[in-house]
Amino acid sequence: KVQININGFPVTVKPGTTILEAARKANVTIPTLCYHKDLCVAGNCRVCVVEVAGQKRLSAACATPCEDGMDILTNSLKVRNSRKHIIELLLSEHNADCTKCYKNGKCELQSLASEYKIMTQDFIELLPWKNYTIDMISPSIIKDDSKCIRCQRCVRTCAELQGVNALTVAYKGDHMKISTFFEKPMNDVVCTNCGQCVNRCPTGALVEKNYVEEVWDAISDPKKHVVVQTAPAVRVGLGEDLGFEPGSRVTGKMVAALKRLGFDSVLDTDFTADLTIMEEGTELLTRLKKALVDNDKEVKLPMATSCSPGWIKYIEHMYPEYLPNLSTCKSPQQMFGALAKTYYAKARNLDPDKIVSVSIMPCTAKKFEAARSEMHDSGYRDVDYVLTTRELSIMIKQAGIDFMQLEDLEFDRLMGESTGASVIFGVTGGVMEAALRTAYELVTGRPVPFENLNITPVRGMEGVREASVKIEKPLKEWKFLDGVELRCAIAHGLINAKTVMDAVKAGKANFHFLEVMACPGGCLGGGGQPIPTNSEIREKRAKAIYAEDSGKPIRKSHENPEVQKIYKDFLGEPLGEVSHHLLHTTYTP
Ligand code: HC0
């Protein structure tokens, strides 16, 4: 135990605790900028300085471990003046045109400037940002160096959580900047568009490319029929931007808000998540049959999930030889888009040309995915606009909707029905769990042998997880699977995907099925989710997702009545000709 005093009050902490952590434990706020719970300590912004008795220099609270007997002042005159100067220095080289900034009202530097009442300018404004360009080429992310305070949260995010290193530090001293390989646009480097950097940038230097105005235009055009789909993870994140505590489920209010915004039909990505399970489960069983019965050496195992667009971009850049291992299923977002302008248009007697398909996603990479050339199988661009959870909250606020007071409403029908299995797509391990619930039952005629359908071995927040399910007494058609241990692996966060893929590459992994989600925690921790997102908040959102699953009357994808209907009325069968055309694709390096 370590005993310290913070502002004269005794605090006891474990050895190794930093001053910042100790202060938080004692409910004392110390401002931070470069610090982020998910990342290693950098200690480069100095905003968190505190005074330690007996030491001449101030210490960065985030980078200083507590020592027994330390007397710490977090609010002395010296500390306050230093912090003020640090904020002034940051502002002197920051494009502080706040009213025209996308992060206006959500910027951590702006909040600090407001808190410390920076009214004068003691330092010469450097204006280095006058020469900077704004990179707007990516469909997902805008990088504006004039707003950058060089805290390097983005660099650490890209390296530590994602192992991608698309963003690095270039040059030194005054010229130091956050850049890419040869200073190319984000769109032309290995960036996966995951947006984890956007989620952690304290200012407006990295933001999502927003399409709010385009969606308002579509809604207000009487000639357009605007369909919206909402991803599984949005319903456990959206509330945080609208007054709810992390971990609140706001599904019904979200539907009500979307209807008030004026969307013509409010539907659910979860419906196509269920559909994905039908297609992907069948594909896995087909591959297993080819490998185990036909002894087909060409068949690629492990089969990897293909619904996370950041993961797809990562494998395209880093492991292109494994692209054939990806399931050929499009993501639920893109399946939905292709069906909105075909199946839905036909059923509703609508001209697909007049349909505007919008999706609400926890993810910035989904914007890139929707813009891919592969995603036009309906004869149109399948998904027209992708908004993040944050952009939806902006629209709700702009519309003056009192979100907290909204009554819960249900999704519209035809592509609005979903099961518990589809909701858990939003948490790491969820696609695997949903697939196992269905595949096991299709093969054996019995539910998966786990209490309450909860396949706990695939759950959790460990970066890489392995599990296996033994298939016993299968139905006649699947006799070849009798006694087979279906081996599964799960990774979330691309740094963990790298661990798994390196093992696969080295021949050290013999999985049948691999689930990878690009973002830590899965989509609930997506780059488009409310800020802040960190380990604690991800845990709360995960709990909410599992609660949503438990509360659903149907919890297996193959039992979704709308899924059964679409096969009967339109698709025929999983992996059939129509499915093949609309719901599947392949990626080439
Ligand atoms: Fe996801 Fe998805 S689960 S990728 O994380 O599969 O973004 O939430 O919408 O498409 O369903 C994101 C979330 C989705 C898709 C689904 C999948």
mmCIF file with all atom_site columns, all heavy atoms in Angstrom, residues 15 57 73 150 161 195 235 246 253 304 310 420 426 443 494 531 540 570:
data_model
loop_
_atom_site.group_PDB
_atom_site.id
_atom_site.type_symbol
_atom_site.label_atom_id
_atom_site.label_alt_id
_atom_site.label_comp_id
_atom_site.label_asym_id
_atom_site.label_entity_id
_atom_site.label_seq_id
_atom_site.pdbx_PDB_ins_code
_atom_site.Cartn_x
_atom_site.Cartn_y
_atom_site.Cartn_z
_atom_site.occupancy
_atom_site.B_iso_or_equiv
_atom_site.pdbx_formal_charge
_atom_site.auth_seq_id
_atom_site.auth_comp_id
_atom_site.auth_asym_id
_atom_site.auth_atom_id
_atom_site.pdbx_PDB_model_num
ATOM 1   N N   . PRO A 1 15  ? 0.726   0.026   -5.092  1.00 0.00 ? 15  PRO A N   1
ATOM 2   C CA  . PRO A 1 15  ? 1.988   0.425   -5.720  1.00 0.00 ? 15  PRO A CA  1
ATOM 3   C C   . PRO A 1 15  ? 1.829   0.441   -7.244  1.00 0.00 ? 15  PRO A C   1
ATOM 4   O O   . PRO A 1 15  ? 1.144   -0.419  -7.810  1.00 0.00 ? 15  PRO A O   1
ATOM 5   C CB  . PRO A 1 15  ? 2.977   -0.667  -5.290  1.00 0.00 ? 15  PRO A CB  1
ATOM 6   C CG  . PRO A 1 15  ? 2.369   -1.310  -4.096  1.00 0.00 ? 15  PRO A CG  1
ATOM 7   C CD  . PRO A 1 15  ? 0.884   -1.156  -4.225  1.00 0.00 ? 15  PRO A CD  1
ATOM 8   N N   . ARG A 1 57  ? 10.490  20.957  -10.023 1.00 0.00 ? 57  ARG A N   1
ATOM 9   C CA  . ARG A 1 57  ? 9.717   20.971  -11.278 1.00 0.00 ? 57  ARG A CA  1
ATOM 10  C C   . ARG A 1 57  ? 8.359   20.326  -11.079 1.00 0.00 ? 57  ARG A C   1
ATOM 11  O O   . ARG A 1 57  ? 8.198   19.431  -10.251 1.00 0.00 ? 57  ARG A O   1
ATOM 12  C CB  . ARG A 1 57  ? 10.498  20.225  -12.356 1.00 0.00 ? 57  ARG A CB  1
ATOM 13  C CG  . ARG A 1 57  ? 11.777  20.961  -12.737 1.00 0.00 ? 57  ARG A CG  1
ATOM 14  C CD  . ARG A 1 57  ? 12.616  20.148  -13.658 1.00 0.00 ? 57  ARG A CD  1
ATOM 15  N NE  . ARG A 1 57  ? 11.889  19.754  -14.856 1.00 0.00 ? 57  ARG A NE  1
ATOM 16  C CZ  . ARG A 1 57  ? 12.433  19.068  -15.837 1.00 0.00 ? 57  ARG A CZ  1
ATOM 17  N NH1 . ARG A 1 57  ? 13.679  18.695  -15.767 1.00 0.00 ? 57  ARG A NH1 1
ATOM 18  N NH2 . ARG A 1 57  ? 11.721  18.743  -16.878 1.00 0.00 ? 57  ARG A NH2 1
ATOM 19  N N   . LEU A 1 73  ? -0.107  18.599  -4.805  1.00 0.00 ? 73  LEU A N   1
ATOM 20  C CA  . LEU A 1 73  ? -1.065  19.696  -4.966  1.00 0.00 ? 73  LEU A CA  1
ATOM 21  C C   . LEU A 1 73  ? -1.525  19.732  -6.426  1.00 0.00 ? 73  LEU A C   1
ATOM 22  O O   . LEU A 1 73  ? -0.697  19.811  -7.333  1.00 0.00 ? 73  LEU A O   1
ATOM 23  C CB  . LEU A 1 73  ? -0.418  21.032  -4.596  1.00 0.00 ? 73  LEU A CB  1
ATOM 24  C CG  . LEU A 1 73  ? -0.005  21.191  -3.132  1.00 0.00 ? 73  LEU A CG  1
ATOM 25  C CD1 . LEU A 1 73  ? 0.738   22.497  -2.915  1.00 0.00 ? 73  LEU A CD1 1
ATOM 26  C CD2 . LEU A 1 73  ? -1.229  21.133  -2.204  1.00 0.00 ? 73  LEU A CD2 1
ATOM 27  N N   . ARG A 1 150 ? -0.717  17.518  -31.722 1.00 0.00 ? 150 ARG A N   1
ATOM 28  C CA  . ARG A 1 150 ? 0.424   16.605  -31.693 1.00 0.00 ? 150 ARG A CA  1
ATOM 29  C C   . ARG A 1 150 ? 0.516   15.775  -30.402 1.00 0.00 ? 150 ARG A C   1
ATOM 30  O O   . ARG A 1 150 ? 1.586   15.446  -29.922 1.00 0.00 ? 150 ARG A O   1
ATOM 31  C CB  . ARG A 1 150 ? 1.715   17.393  -31.936 1.00 0.00 ? 150 ARG A CB  1
ATOM 32  C CG  . ARG A 1 150 ? 1.642   18.159  -33.245 1.00 0.00 ? 150 ARG A CG  1
ATOM 33  C CD  . ARG A 1 150 ? 2.887   18.864  -33.599 1.00 0.00 ? 150 ARG A CD  1
ATOM 34  N NE  . ARG A 1 150 ? 3.138   20.036  -32.779 1.00 0.00 ? 150 ARG A NE  1
ATOM 35  C CZ  . ARG A 1 150 ? 4.123   20.878  -32.970 1.00 0.00 ? 150 ARG A CZ  1
ATOM 36  N NH1 . ARG A 1 150 ? 4.972   20.681  -33.971 1.00 0.00 ? 150 ARG A NH1 1
ATOM 37  N NH2 . ARG A 1 150 ? 4.303   21.903  -32.189 1.00 0.00 ? 150 ARG A NH2 1
ATOM 38  N N   . LEU A 1 161 ? -3.369  -0.429  -30.713 1.00 0.00 ? 161 LEU A N   1
ATOM 39  C CA  . LEU A 1 161 ? -4.640  -1.164  -30.746 1.00 0.00 ? 161 LEU A CA  1
ATOM 40  C C   . LEU A 1 161 ? -4.819  -1.876  -32.083 1.00 0.00 ? 161 LEU A C   1
ATOM 41  O O   . LEU A 1 161 ? -5.447  -2.926  -32.146 1.00 0.00 ? 161 LEU A O   1
ATOM 42  C CB  . LEU A 1 161 ? -5.827  -0.214  -30.537 1.00 0.00 ? 161 LEU A CB  1
ATOM 43  C CG  . LEU A 1 161 ? -5.860  0.578   -29.232 1.00 0.00 ? 161 LEU A CG  1
ATOM 44  C CD1 . LEU A 1 161 ? -7.124  1.407   -29.152 1.00 0.00 ? 161 LEU A CD1 1
ATOM 45  C CD2 . LEU A 1 161 ? -5.786  -0.359  -28.027 1.00 0.00 ? 161 LEU A CD2 1
ATOM 46  N N   . GLY A 1 195 ? -11.383 4.227   -37.883 1.00 0.00 ? 195 GLY A N   1
ATOM 47  C CA  . GLY A 1 195 ? -11.833 5.405   -37.132 1.00 0.00 ? 195 GLY A CA  1
ATOM 48  C C   . GLY A 1 195 ? -11.495 5.365   -35.653 1.00 0.00 ? 195 GLY A C   1
ATOM 49  O O   . GLY A 1 195 ? -11.953 6.211   -34.890 1.00 0.00 ? 195 GLY A O   1
ATOM 50  N N   . ARG A 1 235 ? -27.655 0.743   -30.928 1.00 0.00 ? 235 ARG A N   1
ATOM 51  C CA  . ARG A 1 235 ? -28.685 0.810   -29.874 1.00 0.00 ? 235 ARG A CA  1
ATOM 52  C C   . ARG A 1 235 ? -28.127 0.779   -28.464 1.00 0.00 ? 235 ARG A C   1
ATOM 53  O O   . ARG A 1 235 ? -28.823 1.114   -27.521 1.00 0.00 ? 235 ARG A O   1
ATOM 54  C CB  . ARG A 1 235 ? -29.726 -0.295  -30.100 1.00 0.00 ? 235 ARG A CB  1
ATOM 55  C CG  . ARG A 1 235 ? -29.222 -1.714  -29.967 1.00 0.00 ? 235 ARG A CG  1
ATOM 56  C CD  . ARG A 1 235 ? -30.031 -2.705  -30.810 1.00 0.00 ? 235 ARG A CD  1
ATOM 57  N NE  . ARG A 1 235 ? -29.777 -2.496  -32.235 1.00 0.00 ? 235 ARG A NE  1
ATOM 58  C CZ  . ARG A 1 235 ? -30.549 -2.956  -33.217 1.00 0.00 ? 235 ARG A CZ  1
ATOM 59  N NH1 . ARG A 1 235 ? -31.612 -3.671  -32.937 1.00 0.00 ? 235 ARG A NH1 1
ATOM 60  N NH2 . ARG A 1 235 ? -30.249 -2.708  -34.477 1.00 0.00 ? 235 ARG A NH2 1
ATOM 61  N N   . PRO A 1 246 ? -23.614 5.194   -20.010 1.00 0.00 ? 246 PRO A N   1
ATOM 62  C CA  . PRO A 1 246 ? -23.098 4.088   -20.828 1.00 0.00 ? 246 PRO A CA  1
ATOM 63  C C   . PRO A 1 246 ? -23.760 2.770   -20.423 1.00 0.00 ? 246 PRO A C   1
ATOM 64  O O   . PRO A 1 246 ? -24.009 2.532   -19.244 1.00 0.00 ? 246 PRO A O   1
ATOM 65  C CB  . PRO A 1 246 ? -21.602 4.065   -20.495 1.00 0.00 ? 246 PRO A CB  1
ATOM 66  C CG  . PRO A 1 246 ? -21.295 5.455   -20.065 1.00 0.00 ? 246 PRO A CG  1
ATOM 67  C CD  . PRO A 1 246 ? -22.531 5.966   -19.374 1.00 0.00 ? 246 PRO A CD  1
ATOM 68  N N   . LYS A 1 253 ? -36.405 3.919   -28.428 1.00 0.00 ? 253 LYS A N   1
ATOM 69  C CA  . LYS A 1 253 ? -36.318 5.382   -28.569 1.00 0.00 ? 253 LYS A CA  1
ATOM 70  C C   . LYS A 1 253 ? -35.606 5.741   -29.869 1.00 0.00 ? 253 LYS A C   1
ATOM 71  O O   . LYS A 1 253 ? -35.958 6.727   -30.537 1.00 0.00 ? 253 LYS A O   1
ATOM 72  C CB  . LYS A 1 253 ? -35.579 5.993   -27.378 1.00 0.00 ? 253 LYS A CB  1
ATOM 73  C CG  . LYS A 1 253 ? -36.365 5.915   -26.082 1.00 0.00 ? 253 LYS A CG  1
ATOM 74  C CD  . LYS A 1 253 ? -35.740 6.766   -25.013 1.00 0.00 ? 253 LYS A CD  1
ATOM 75  C CE  . LYS A 1 253 ? -36.340 6.517   -23.642 1.00 0.00 ? 253 LYS A CE  1
ATOM 76  N NZ  . LYS A 1 253 ? -37.791 6.376   -23.566 1.00 0.00 ? 253 LYS A NZ  1
ATOM 77  N N   . ALA A 1 304 ? -12.985 -17.216 -42.603 1.00 0.00 ? 304 ALA A N   1
ATOM 78  C CA  . ALA A 1 304 ? -13.006 -16.036 -41.724 1.00 0.00 ? 304 ALA A CA  1
ATOM 79  C C   . ALA A 1 304 ? -14.246 -15.189 -42.005 1.00 0.00 ? 304 ALA A C   1
ATOM 80  O O   . ALA A 1 304 ? -14.690 -15.093 -43.156 1.00 0.00 ? 304 ALA A O   1
ATOM 81  C CB  . ALA A 1 304 ? -11.755 -15.199 -41.949 1.00 0.00 ? 304 ALA A CB  1
ATOM 82  N N   . GLY A 1 310 ? -13.160 -2.887  -41.830 1.00 0.00 ? 310 GLY A N   1
ATOM 83  C CA  . GLY A 1 310 ? -11.790 -2.555  -41.451 1.00 0.00 ? 310 GLY A CA  1
ATOM 84  C C   . GLY A 1 310 ? -10.906 -3.793  -41.541 1.00 0.00 ? 310 GLY A C   1
ATOM 85  O O   . GLY A 1 310 ? -9.758  -3.742  -41.988 1.00 0.00 ? 310 GLY A O   1
ATOM 86  N N   . GLY A 1 420 ? -32.228 -12.488 -31.146 1.00 0.00 ? 420 GLY A N   1
ATOM 87  C CA  . GLY A 1 420 ? -31.128 -12.217 -30.222 1.00 0.00 ? 420 GLY A CA  1
ATOM 88  C C   . GLY A 1 420 ? -29.778 -12.518 -30.849 1.00 0.00 ? 420 GLY A C   1
ATOM 89  O O   . GLY A 1 420 ? -28.776 -11.865 -30.551 1.00 0.00 ? 420 GLY A O   1
ATOM 90  N N   . GLY A 1 426 ? -22.927 -7.246  -32.553 1.00 0.00 ? 426 GLY A N   1
ATOM 91  C CA  . GLY A 1 426 ? -22.268 -5.998  -32.179 1.00 0.00 ? 426 GLY A CA  1
ATOM 92  C C   . GLY A 1 426 ? -21.173 -6.142  -31.137 1.00 0.00 ? 426 GLY A C   1
ATOM 93  O O   . GLY A 1 426 ? -20.489 -5.185  -30.822 1.00 0.00 ? 426 GLY A O   1
ATOM 94  N N   . VAL A 1 443 ? -27.242 -28.992 -38.087 1.00 0.00 ? 443 VAL A N   1
ATOM 95  C CA  . VAL A 1 443 ? -26.511 -30.245 -38.266 1.00 0.00 ? 443 VAL A CA  1
ATOM 96  C C   . VAL A 1 443 ? -27.050 -31.372 -37.380 1.00 0.00 ? 443 VAL A C   1
ATOM 97  O O   . VAL A 1 443 ? -27.091 -32.530 -37.783 1.00 0.00 ? 443 VAL A O   1
ATOM 98  C CB  . VAL A 1 443 ? -25.005 -29.987 -37.988 1.00 0.00 ? 443 VAL A CB  1
ATOM 99  C CG1 . VAL A 1 443 ? -24.241 -31.286 -37.814 1.00 0.00 ? 443 VAL A CG1 1
ATOM 100 C CG2 . VAL A 1 443 ? -24.398 -29.172 -39.117 1.00 0.00 ? 443 VAL A CG2 1
ATOM 101 N N   . LEU A 1 494 ? -7.254  -4.908  -34.461 1.00 0.00 ? 494 LEU A N   1
ATOM 102 C CA  . LEU A 1 494 ? -6.452  -5.523  -35.532 1.00 0.00 ? 494 LEU A CA  1
ATOM 103 C C   . LEU A 1 494 ? -5.092  -6.013  -35.058 1.00 0.00 ? 494 LEU A C   1
ATOM 104 O O   . LEU A 1 494 ? -4.508  -6.912  -35.662 1.00 0.00 ? 494 LEU A O   1
ATOM 105 C CB  . LEU A 1 494 ? -6.318  -4.538  -36.696 1.00 0.00 ? 494 LEU A CB  1
ATOM 106 C CG  . LEU A 1 494 ? -7.647  -4.308  -37.437 1.00 0.00 ? 494 LEU A CG  1
ATOM 107 C CD1 . LEU A 1 494 ? -7.531  -3.155  -38.424 1.00 0.00 ? 494 LEU A CD1 1
ATOM 108 C CD2 . LEU A 1 494 ? -8.114  -5.581  -38.152 1.00 0.00 ? 494 LEU A CD2 1
ATOM 109 N N   . ILE A 1 531 ? -18.052 9.446   -28.060 1.00 0.00 ? 531 ILE A N   1
ATOM 110 C CA  . ILE A 1 531 ? -16.750 9.695   -27.431 1.00 0.00 ? 531 ILE A CA  1
ATOM 111 C C   . ILE A 1 531 ? -17.021 10.175  -26.006 1.00 0.00 ? 531 ILE A C   1
ATOM 112 O O   . ILE A 1 531 ? -17.868 11.053  -25.826 1.00 0.00 ? 531 ILE A O   1
ATOM 113 C CB  . ILE A 1 531 ? -15.991 10.781  -28.226 1.00 0.00 ? 531 ILE A CB  1
ATOM 114 C CG1 . ILE A 1 531 ? -15.713 10.267  -29.658 1.00 0.00 ? 531 ILE A CG1 1
ATOM 115 C CG2 . ILE A 1 531 ? -14.688 11.163  -27.523 1.00 0.00 ? 531 ILE A CG2 1
ATOM 116 C CD1 . ILE A 1 531 ? -15.174 11.319  -30.607 1.00 0.00 ? 531 ILE A CD1 1
ATOM 117 N N   . LYS A 1 540 ? -19.608 -2.088  -20.496 1.00 0.00 ? 540 LYS A N   1
ATOM 118 C CA  . LYS A 1 540 ? -21.013 -1.764  -20.199 1.00 0.00 ? 540 LYS A CA  1
ATOM 119 C C   . LYS A 1 540 ? -21.875 -1.960  -21.445 1.00 0.00 ? 540 LYS A C   1
ATOM 120 O O   . LYS A 1 540 ? -22.997 -2.468  -21.365 1.00 0.00 ? 540 LYS A O   1
ATOM 121 C CB  . LYS A 1 540 ? -21.119 -0.320  -19.705 1.00 0.00 ? 540 LYS A CB  1
ATOM 122 C CG  . LYS A 1 540 ? -20.540 -0.154  -18.316 1.00 0.00 ? 540 LYS A CG  1
ATOM 123 C CD  . LYS A 1 540 ? -20.694 1.252   -17.805 1.00 0.00 ? 540 LYS A CD  1
ATOM 124 C CE  . LYS A 1 540 ? -20.103 1.338   -16.398 1.00 0.00 ? 540 LYS A CE  1
ATOM 125 N NZ  . LYS A 1 540 ? -19.953 2.702   -15.921 1.00 0.00 ? 540 LYS A NZ  1
ATOM 126 N N   . PHE A 1 570 ? -38.313 -14.942 -52.236 1.00 0.00 ? 570 PHE A N   1
ATOM 127 C CA  . PHE A 1 570 ? -37.385 -14.204 -53.089 1.00 0.00 ? 570 PHE A CA  1
ATOM 128 C C   . PHE A 1 570 ? -36.052 -14.897 -53.339 1.00 0.00 ? 570 PHE A C   1
ATOM 129 O O   . PHE A 1 570 ? -35.609 -15.035 -54.470 1.00 0.00 ? 570 PHE A O   1
ATOM 130 C CB  . PHE A 1 570 ? -37.151 -12.821 -52.449 1.00 0.00 ? 570 PHE A CB  1
ATOM 131 C CG  . PHE A 1 570 ? -36.313 -11.881 -53.261 1.00 0.00 ? 570 PHE A CG  1
ATOM 132 C CD1 . PHE A 1 570 ? -36.792 -11.315 -54.433 1.00 0.00 ? 570 PHE A CD1 1
ATOM 133 C CD2 . PHE A 1 570 ? -35.019 -11.549 -52.845 1.00 0.00 ? 570 PHE A CD2 1
ATOM 134 C CE1 . PHE A 1 570 ? -36.007 -10.435 -55.180 1.00 0.00 ? 570 PHE A CE1 1
ATOM 135 C CE2 . PHE A 1 570 ? -34.233 -10.676 -53.590 1.00 0.00 ? 570 PHE A CE2 1
ATOM 136 C CZ  . PHE A 1 570 ? -34.736 -10.119 -54.753 1.00 0.00 ? 570 PHE A CZ  1
#
